[in-house]
Amino acid sequence: MGSLNTQEPETGFPTSIKPFEPEEFRRHAHLVIDFIVDYYKNIENYPVRSQVEPGYLWKRVPDSAPNGPEPMEDILRDVRNDIVPGLTHWQSPNFFGYFPSNMSTAGFLGEMLCTAFNTPGFNWITSPASTELENIVMDWIGKMLQLPHEFLFSGGGGGVIQGTTCEAILCTVVAARDRMLQKIGLENITKLVVYASDQTHSAFQKASQIAGIRRENFRAVGTTARNAFSMTPDGLRAAIEADVKAGLVPLFLSPTVGTTSSTAVDPLGPLCDVAKEYGMWVHVDAAYAGSACICPEFRHFLDGVEKTDSFSFNPHKWFFTTMDSCCLWVKDPGSLNDALSTNPEYLKNKASELKCVVDYKDWQICLNRRFRSLKLWLVLRTYGVANMQNFLRRHVGMAKEFECFVRKDTRFEVVVPRNFSTIVFRVSPVGTYPDSTRVFGDQGANELTAKLLESVNESGKVFMTHAVVGGVYVIRVAVGATLTEDRHVNLAWDVVQEHASQMLLTLT
Amino acid sequence: MGSLNTQEPETGFPTSIKPFEPEEFRRHAHLVIDFIVDYYKNIENYPVRSQVEPGYLWKRVPDSAPNGPEPMEDILRDVRNDIVPGLTHWQSPNFFGYFPSNMSTAGFLGEMLCTAFNTPGFNWITSPASTELENIVMDWIGKMLQLPHEFLFSGGGGGVIQGTTCEAILCTVVAARDRMLQKIGLENITKLVVYASDQTHSAFQKASQIAGIRRENFRAVGTTARNAFSMTPDGLRAAIEADVKAGLVPLFLSPTVGTTSSTAVDPLGPLCDVAKEYGMWVHVDAAYAGSACICPEFRHFLDGVEKTDSFSFNPHKWFFTTMDSCCLWVKDPGSLNDALSTNPEYLKNKASELKCVVDYKDWQICLNRRFRSLKLWLVLRTYGVANMQNFLRRHVGMAKEFECFVRKDTRFEVVVPRNFSTIVFRVSPVGTYPDSTRVFGDQGANELTAKLLESVNESGKVFMTHAVVGGVYVIRVAVGATLTEDRHVNLAWDVVQEHASQMLLTLT
C-alpha cells in the first residue's frame, strides 16, 4: 500500500509510480506475452465451456478497488486463478459453438500497434494514416471479394470498419430511413417496414427497433426445408404486397449469406429484383460466410450483390482478425453521411472543410474509433491472399470430414446440407443405433439431441451450440477456430459418438 | 511470394504458414513490444499533428493485397516509414488537443489479455468471467465516484462498459423512448423532444436522430458567459413549457459535466427538479470530467446525480485506459433491457433462462462485445485509487500553471474560468503586447486567435484545438496526455508566446 505517501494533492508528481514508463512497460509487456503463450500452450487442458456457477467471481474479489498499487505478478496470478476458469475458451481448438471468433498472430500484433498509437481517428486530421489505411484496406478486401466497383472508393462508393454487424445494419437502416422520409414526410416513420427471412439474425430486428421502426413492422418471411431455409422472392413479394395494400411503406431488405442457424444463403439477385421494384434499400449480411467468398469456388454465393446497396461481413468471425471488426461497404456514401454527419465547431478543420478527405465519424454511430484497419492490414500482408484462402479451405475441408462422419452413422442425420464450415445435425428420428429398431419421431429426436448436446458440453472436451430450424432441434458444429486441426474434429466426433452411445444405452 | 506452393485446395494444411503458432507468436510479439517502446522513446521527435497531405498513403501502398506472405520485419518497416508519419500523435506529451486519449502500461496489458482471450461476452455463458468482472469493476468505479447506491448492481441498478458516449446515450434514449411510447402510443414518436444545452456534444443530437427523434425536436437551451456556459433551470423550463404548449412531449434531458468547448458544468440537481416534473429521463454525460470526480475535491460537480436516471464517463479519455470504453450506469436496467433485449433460439441457455445472470447483449446496441473490463481492472489494481487521484491532480495542477501563464501575459485572456485540466483562452481583444496600444476588438481577436492556433500547430511542436463559445474563438489546451510533465506545459506556453510575438510583430 505504498501509494499513501504519494497523496500530495496538487503539488505535482507522485514519485513512486508513473502510468507509463518505457522500460517498465517493456518488462511487463514481455511478461504478459509469455503469460499468453502459456495460456495457448495449455488451452486444450481447460474445459471449453466454463464450468463456474453464476456469481463465482463476486466471491473471489474484494468489494472495492484497492487504494494502493498491486504488483503485476499478483494480478497475473489472479488472472490465472480467477479469470481463466471463468472463460469459455473461444480460442480452444475444440470450440465449435456459435460462429468462430478466430484470431491470429498478425491480428494480435495489429491490435497491439492500434492500442499503442491509441488514436481516435474520427476525422482525417486526427490521424490521416488511420483513415487512409482503412480506405485502402477496404478497397483491397472489396477486390478480394470481387465486390462491384461501385462499392470501392476507387469506384465512387466506399467501405468502413464498424465494430459489429448490428452497428453496420443500424447505420444503413438509418440512412435508408432518412432518405425515404425525405420523400414521404417525417410523420410517416410509423409506416416503414423492413424485411428479412425468419432465419435472419436478431441483430437486424434490433437495429430496426433502435432506428424507430415499429416492432410490428418487422417482417420475417417464412422459409422451409424445401428451399434449404433460404428466402424466396415469392415469399418476399407476397409480404411486400400485403403491406403496400395496407398503406405501409417497404423500406429495407436484409438478405443473409450464411444464416446463423444453418448457414442458409438467400438468393441476392432474385430478391433484389423484387425489392428494387419498391425502391427499397438492400443490405447483405454475410457476417460469417463473407470470408469464404474470397475463394473463387464460394464466390457464387454473392452473385447478385451488384444489385444491392450495401454489404457487410465480420473479419472477427472467420478472417483471423481479433474483435471487433465488421467491414461495411456502401454504394452511396452520401446517404450514409446525410444521416450520420455532424459538424460541430470544435471538430472543424481545413481538410474537412475542403471536402477532400474521408471523415469516418460520418460513416458510423460513434465519434471515437480505433485504428482497426491496422490489424486487417497486418493479417493480409502477413499471410497473403493465397494463404488466407487456404486457411478457410482447410476449415471447410474439416467440416466436410465431420459431415461425412455424421452421414456414415445411421443414428444421426444431417438436417440441412452444408454450405461452408458449419454442420447442422441431430439424432435421427427414424434410424437409431444398429441393435435397435426404435423410432423416436421428431419430438423424441428433439429431446434426445438437446440432451446429447448438454452432455457433450458438460464434458468440457468440446463445445457446440444449438439451433431450431423448421421446428427441428439441431446441433451446430462450426469449424473455424484458428487452432483446430484434423485431430480436434476427430475428437469432437468421438465425443459425440461416445455420449450418444451412453445416452441411447440408458434408453433401452 | 512463397505462398503459391501452398495452394492445395481442400487437401488439408498449408505447410509453410499457420495463422498461429505459440513460439512464432512469442518471437513476433516481443518484436512488436520493442517497436512500441522505440515509438514511445522517440515520440517527442515527431510533429504532433501529422504533416502529410490528403492521399499521401494511397501513393505509397499497392493497389491490392499481396498474394503471398510478407515478413513481419518488412511490415514493421512500413509501419515506421508509412504509418507513423501519418499519425497525429495523441500519446505525445505535447498533445493538448480535443480531450486526451490517455493510455497506460496497465491499460495496454489489459488490452493484450482481452485480445488474447478474444471472447465475445454477449451472454454470461459465453464467458462468465467477462460479464462478472464487468459487473464488479462497474460497482468499484461507481463507488469511487460516490454514485448513488441505486446505480450499482449491489443496489438494484448496474453498469455496462460501452464503446463510446454516443452508444451510451443512444441506448438510454431508446430506453426512454420506448418507455414513453408505451404510455402515449407508438404513433406519437414524432412528438418526442430531447433537451440539452447549446454546449452539449454533438453525440447527443446524433444519437437522438438515430433513435428516430425528429431533428427539429432537438432543443439546444442557450447558455451565456454570465453562467459560465452552463444550462440554467429557467432556460430549460421555458423550452419545455413552449413545447408542451405546442402539443409536444418532453422525453429526455442530457446535462453535461465538463462540456467539450469549455468544460462547463450543468447543475444536475436544479435541472433534474425541472425535468422530473415532466417525467423525463435524465442522462448525465461526464465523458471527460467524470474521471476527476473520483477526487473528493471535484466530487461536488456531481451533486444531484442521485436524481438522474443514468450517468456515463469515458475511461478512454482521462482515466489511463486505452480505447474504447465508456462506463454507463443506469438505475433501472429493466428499461434498458426492455428496449434492447433479443432472445433468439440459438442464444438460449440455462443460465439465461433462469434469469440469474446478466446478459450484456441486452444492455447495448451490439451483440458481440470485447472483454473490456480487464483493462479497467488492471488499471485500478496496478495503480490503486490514491495514485489514480494523484495522476489526475497532477494534470489539473499543470493546467492551473498554464492558466497562470496566460493570466500573467496581458496579450491574452482566459475566456472561461477553468474547472478541470482544460484551459480556454484567446488573444485579448483589448490589452495587446506591452509596446502597443492597439485594440483588436472581438472580431480581430477571433481572427488573430485562429491564426495563432494554426501557426502553433503547423510548428509540429505542440497540438491544440479550438472552440467557439458565445461567439468567441478560443484555443483549448487540454492537459491529460499520460506522458505530459511540467516541462511540456512550459514548452507549450513558450511556443504560444513565441508565435504570438511573431504574429503581433508583423501587425505593427
Side-chain angles (χ1 to χ4, degrees):
Chain A
M1 297 291 169
S3 73
L4 293 175
N5 58 6
T6 67
Q7 275 189 317
E8 305 165 282
E10 308 198 14
T11 62
F13 233 75
T15 46
S16 60
I17 283 207
K18 291 186 187 185
F20 186 89
E21 192 286 307
E23 289 307 329
E24 190 228 39
F25 167 80
R26 191 199 310 267
R27 189 174 73 78
H28 281 151
H30 285 318
L31 208 65
V32 171
I33 290 297
D34 293 341
F35 180 94
I36 291 170
V37 171
D38 281 353
Y39 169 72
Y40 273 91
K41 287 190 165 177
N42 283 309
I43 200 163
E44 295 189 45
N45 301 329
Y46 304 122
V48 187
R49 186 180 75 181
S50 175
Q51 299 186 330
V52 299
E53 292 296 317
Y56 90 102
L57 194 56
W58 287 91
K59 294 174 194 148
R60 299 193 192 189
V61 302
D63 270 355
S64 53
N67 195 50
E70 300 184 42
M72 188 51 60
E73 289 75 5
D74 288 7
I75 298 172
L76 286 178
R77 180 203 60 212
D78 293 346
V79 173
R80 187 177 289 111
N81 295 342
D82 298 333
I83 300 301
V84 170
L87 295 177
T88 291
H89 299 279
W90 290 67
Q91 302 315 310
S92 165
N94 301 313
F95 184 96
F96 299 99
Y98 308 107
F99 280 135
S101 166
N102 75 6
M103 61 88 78
S104 66
T105 295
F108 187 95
L109 302 182
E111 200 79 65
M112 284 168 76
L113 291 170
C114 162
T115 304
F117 298 144
N118 205 35
T119 53
F122 46 82
N123 275 343
W124 179 86
I125 190 61
T126 62
S127 261
S130 171
T131 296
E132 295 200 12
L133 190 65
E134 187 160 331
N135 298 162
I136 289 163
V137 163
M138 290 301 291
D139 265 20
W140 280 13
I141 303 176
K143 287 176 188 171
M144 289 166 67
L145 288 166
Q146 298 180 54
L147 292 184
H149 193 55
E150 305 100 286
F151 276 150
L152 309 184
F153 283 104
S154 46
V160 53
I161 310 177
Q162 308 252 348
T164 69
T165 302
C166 196
E167 272 177 82
I169 297 184
L170 177 53
C171 290
T172 49
V173 167
V174 169
R177 180 198 71 188
D178 286 2
R179 196 177 67 173
M180 181 65 84
L181 292 181
Q182 268 204 326
K183 281 188 224 161
I184 65 171
L186 294 173
E187 67 284 4
N188 288 308
I189 184 170
T190 54
K191 294 187 184 160
L192 301 178
V193 188
V194 300
Y195 301 81
S197 91
D198 59 6
Q199 300 297 309
T200 299
H201 194 278
S202 57
F204 178 48
Q205 185 166 6
K206 181 164 173 175
S208 303
Q209 283 169 208
I210 291 172
I213 308 297
R214 294 170 77 145
R215 280 173 202 235
E216 57 268 45
N217 288 3
F218 171 79
R219 295 287 165 271
V221 178
T223 61
T224 62
R226 214 180 48 240
N227 293 305
F229 301 101
S230 74
M231 192 180 353
T232 64
D234 289 347
L236 174 64
R237 184 182 294 281
I240 294 175
E241 283 177 356
D243 286 327
V244 171
K245 199 171 282 178
L248 299 176
V249 179
L251 176 69
F252 197 97
L253 168 68
S254 181
T256 306
V257 174
T259 59
T260 306
S261 294
S262 71
T263 72
V265 176
D266 295 328
L268 303 184
L271 291 171
C272 279
D273 290 342
V274 176
K276 288 300 161 185
E277 285 178 37
Y278 297 89
M280 293 162 72
W281 184 299
V282 182
H283 174 81
V284 183
D285 170 8
Y288 152 72
S291 302
C293 300
I294 66 162
C295 302
E297 65 271 31
F298 294 111
R299 175 56 177 75
H300 67 92
F301 288 114
L302 298 190
D303 285 355
V305 68
E306 64 281 1
K307 297 179 183 176
T308 68
D309 297 278
S310 51
F311 174 91
S312 65
F313 91 105
N314 293 1
H316 69 216
K317 281 196 166 61
W318 192 27
F319 208 62
F320 305 91
T321 306
T322 48
M323 285 195 297
D324 44 7
S325 64
C326 169
C327 291
L328 166 69
W329 289 266
V330 291
K331 266 189 196 163
D332 176 17
S335 295
L336 209 61
N337 304 159
D338 285 349
L340 300 172
S341 75
T342 52
N343 192 23
E345 177 62 39
Y346 45 80
L347 298 183
K348 285 185 181 161
N349 65 90
K350 258 194 217 166
S352 300
E353 307 278 294
L354 292 172
K355 297 190 186 302
C356 58
V357 293
V358 170
D359 286 333
Y360 270 126
K361 72 179 175 54
D362 300 337
W363 293 60
Q364 61 177 25
I365 297 162
C366 305
L367 178 65
N368 266 7
R369 61 202 320 275
R370 299 165 72 242
F371 194 168
R372 293 193 185 107
S373 57
L374 265 177
K375 58 189 175 190
L376 274 162
W377 191 53
L378 257 74
V379 165
L380 294 175
R381 295 190 61 187
T382 303
Y383 306 120
V385 177
N387 278 308
M388 291 292 285
Q389 291 171 335
N390 279 340
F391 296 160
L392 296 162
R393 286 169 178 148
R394 195 185 117 213
H395 286 145
V396 174
M398 288 189 281
K400 201 180 260 185
E401 207 176 322
F402 191 96
E403 190 188 23
C404 286
F405 294 151
V406 177
R407 289 195 187 278
K408 276 184 202 149
D409 188 328
T410 57
R411 299 174 300 178
F412 297 100
E413 180 185 76
V414 171
V415 178
V416 188
R418 183 190 51 76
N419 279 328
F420 304 100
S421 69
T422 302
I423 306 102
V424 167
F425 72 104
R426 65 164 167 173
V427 174
S428 169
V430 285
T432 61
Y433 52 106
D435 56 340
S436 162
T437 55
R438 186 155 171 189
V439 170
F440 301 123
D442 277 329
Q443 179 60 22
N446 281 358
E447 282 161 22
L448 284 175
T449 306
K451 200 175 153 195
L452 172 61
L453 177 63
E454 185 48 28
S455 160
V456 162
N457 284 341
E458 259 177 13
S459 78
K461 290 181 189 160
V462 297
F463 180 64
M464 303 166 176
T465 54
H466 80 286
V468 173
V469 283
V472 171
Y473 188 103
V474 296
I475 298 178
R476 298 167 68 265
V477 172
V479 180
T482 305
L483 296 174
T484 302
E485 300 183 5
D486 290 321
R487 67 186 172 90
H488 303 105
V489 172
N490 294 340
L491 170 76
W493 178 241
D494 289 348
V495 172
V496 168
Q497 282 194 308
E498 180 193 311
H499 285 258
S501 298
Q502 206 138 20
M503 184 180 74
L504 294 171
L505 203 65
T506 62
L507 292 177
T508 57
Chain B
M1 296 295 165
S3 72
L4 293 175
N5 57 5
T6 66
Q7 275 188 318
E8 306 165 284
E10 309 196 14
T11 60
F13 233 75
T15 46
S16 61
I17 282 207
K18 291 186 186 185
F20 186 88
E21 193 286 307
E23 289 307 328
E24 190 227 38
F25 167 81
R26 192 200 307 267
R27 190 174 71 80
H28 281 151
H30 285 319
L31 208 64
V32 171
I33 289 297
D34 292 342
F35 180 95
I36 291 170
V37 170
D38 280 354
Y39 169 72
Y40 274 92
K41 285 190 165 176
N42 282 308
I43 201 163
E44 295 188 46
N45 301 328
Y46 304 124
V48 187
R49 186 180 75 182
S50 175
Q51 298 186 330
V52 300
E53 291 295 315
Y56 90 102
L57 194 57
W58 287 91
K59 294 176 195 149
R60 299 193 192 190
V61 302
D63 270 355
S64 53
N67 195 49
E70 300 184 42
M72 188 51 62
E73 289 75 5
D74 288 7
I75 298 172
L76 286 178
R77 179 204 61 210
D78 293 347
V79 173
R80 188 176 289 111
N81 295 341
D82 297 334
I83 301 300
V84 169
L87 296 176
T88 291
H89 300 279
W90 289 67
Q91 302 315 311
S92 165
N94 300 313
F95 184 96
F96 300 99
Y98 308 109
F99 279 135
S101 166
N102 74 6
M103 61 89 77
S104 66
T105 294
F108 188 96
L109 303 181
E111 199 79 64
M112 284 169 76
L113 291 170
C114 163
T115 303
F117 298 144
N118 205 35
T119 53
F122 45 82
N123 276 343
W124 179 86
I125 190 60
T126 62
S127 263
S130 170
T131 296
E132 295 199 14
L133 190 65
E134 188 160 329
N135 298 162
I136 290 162
V137 164
M138 289 301 291
D139 265 19
W140 280 14
I141 303 176
K143 287 176 190 171
M144 288 165 68
L145 288 166
Q146 299 181 53
L147 292 184
H149 193 56
E150 306 101 285
F151 277 150
L152 308 184
F153 284 104
S154 46
V160 53
I161 310 177
Q162 308 252 350
T164 67
T165 302
C166 196
E167 274 176 83
I169 296 184
L170 177 53
C171 290
T172 49
V173 167
V174 168
R177 180 198 69 188
D178 286 3
R179 194 177 69 175
M180 181 65 84
L181 291 182
Q182 268 204 326
K183 281 188 225 161
I184 64 170
L186 293 174
E187 68 283 4
N188 288 310
I189 184 171
T190 54
K191 293 186 185 161
L192 301 177
V193 188
V194 300
Y195 302 81
S197 90
D198 59 5
Q199 299 298 307
T200 298
H201 194 278
S202 57
F204 178 48
Q205 185 165 7
K206 181 164 172 175
S208 303
Q209 284 170 206
I210 291 173
I213 308 297
R214 296 170 75 145
R215 280 174 202 234
E216 58 269 46
N217 288 2
F218 171 79
R219 295 286 166 272
V221 178
T223 61
T224 61
R226 214 181 46 239
N227 293 306
F229 300 101
S230 75
M231 192 179 355
T232 64
D234 288 347
L236 174 65
R237 184 181 293 279
I240 294 175
E241 283 178 355
D243 287 325
V244 171
K245 198 172 283 178
L248 300 176
V249 179
L251 175 70
F252 196 99
L253 168 69
S254 182
T256 307
V257 174
T259 59
T260 307
S261 294
S262 70
T263 72
V265 176
D266 295 329
L268 303 184
L271 291 171
C272 280
D273 290 340
V274 176
K276 289 298 162 188
E277 284 179 38
Y278 297 89
M280 294 163 72
W281 184 299
V282 181
H283 174 80
V284 182
D285 170 8
Y288 151 73
S291 302
C293 300
I294 66 164
C295 302
E297 66 270 32
F298 294 111
R299 175 57 177 74
H300 67 93
F301 288 114
L302 299 189
D303 285 354
V305 67
E306 63 282 358
K307 298 180 182 174
T308 69
D309 297 278
S310 51
F311 174 90
S312 65
F313 91 105
N314 294 2
H316 69 214
K317 280 195 167 62
W318 191 28
F319 208 62
F320 305 90
T321 306
T322 48
M323 286 195 296
D324 44 7
S325 65
C326 170
C327 291
L328 165 69
W329 289 265
V330 291
K331 265 189 198 165
D332 177 17
S335 295
L336 210 59
N337 303 160
D338 286 347
L340 300 172
S341 75
T342 54
N343 192 23
E345 178 62 40
Y346 46 80
L347 298 184
K348 285 183 180 162
N349 66 88
K350 258 193 216 167
S352 299
E353 308 277 296
L354 293 173
K355 297 190 186 302
C356 59
V357 294
V358 170
D359 288 333
Y360 270 127
K361 69 178 176 56
D362 301 335
W363 293 60
Q364 60 176 26
I365 298 163
C366 305
L367 179 65
N368 266 7
R369 61 202 318 278
R370 300 165 72 239
F371 194 167
R372 292 193 186 108
S373 57
L374 266 177
K375 58 189 176 190
L376 274 162
W377 191 53
L378 258 73
V379 165
L380 294 175
R381 294 190 59 188
T382 304
Y383 306 119
V385 177
N387 278 307
M388 292 293 284
Q389 291 171 334
N390 279 340
F391 295 161
L392 296 162
R393 286 170 179 147
R394 194 185 118 213
H395 286 145
V396 174
M398 288 189 280
K400 201 179 264 187
E401 207 176 322
F402 191 96
E403 191 188 23
C404 287
F405 294 152
V406 177
R407 289 193 188 279
K408 276 185 202 149
D409 188 328
T410 56
R411 298 174 302 178
F412 297 101
E413 180 187 77
V414 172
V415 177
V416 188
R418 184 190 50 77
N419 279 328
F420 304 100
S421 69
T422 302
I423 305 103
V424 167
F425 72 102
R426 66 165 167 172
V427 173
S428 169
V430 284
T432 61
Y433 53 106
D435 57 339
S436 162
T437 54
R438 189 158 168 183
V439 170
F440 301 123
D442 278 329
Q443 180 60 22
N446 281 358
E447 282 160 23
L448 284 176
T449 306
K451 200 174 154 197
L452 172 62
L453 177 62
E454 185 49 29
S455 160
V456 163
N457 284 340
E458 260 176 13
S459 78
K461 292 180 190 162
V462 298
F463 180 63
M464 303 165 176
T465 54
H466 81 285
V468 173
V469 283
V472 171
Y473 188 104
V474 297
I475 297 177
R476 297 167 68 264
V477 172
V479 180
T482 305
L483 297 173
T484 302
E485 300 183 4
D486 289 321
R487 66 187 171 92
H488 304 105
V489 173
N490 294 340
L491 169 76
W493 177 241
D494 288 348
V495 172
V496 167
Q497 282 194 307
E498 180 194 312
H499 285 257
S501 296
Q502 206 139 21
M503 185 180 74
L504 295 171
L505 202 64
T506 62
L507 291 176
T508 55

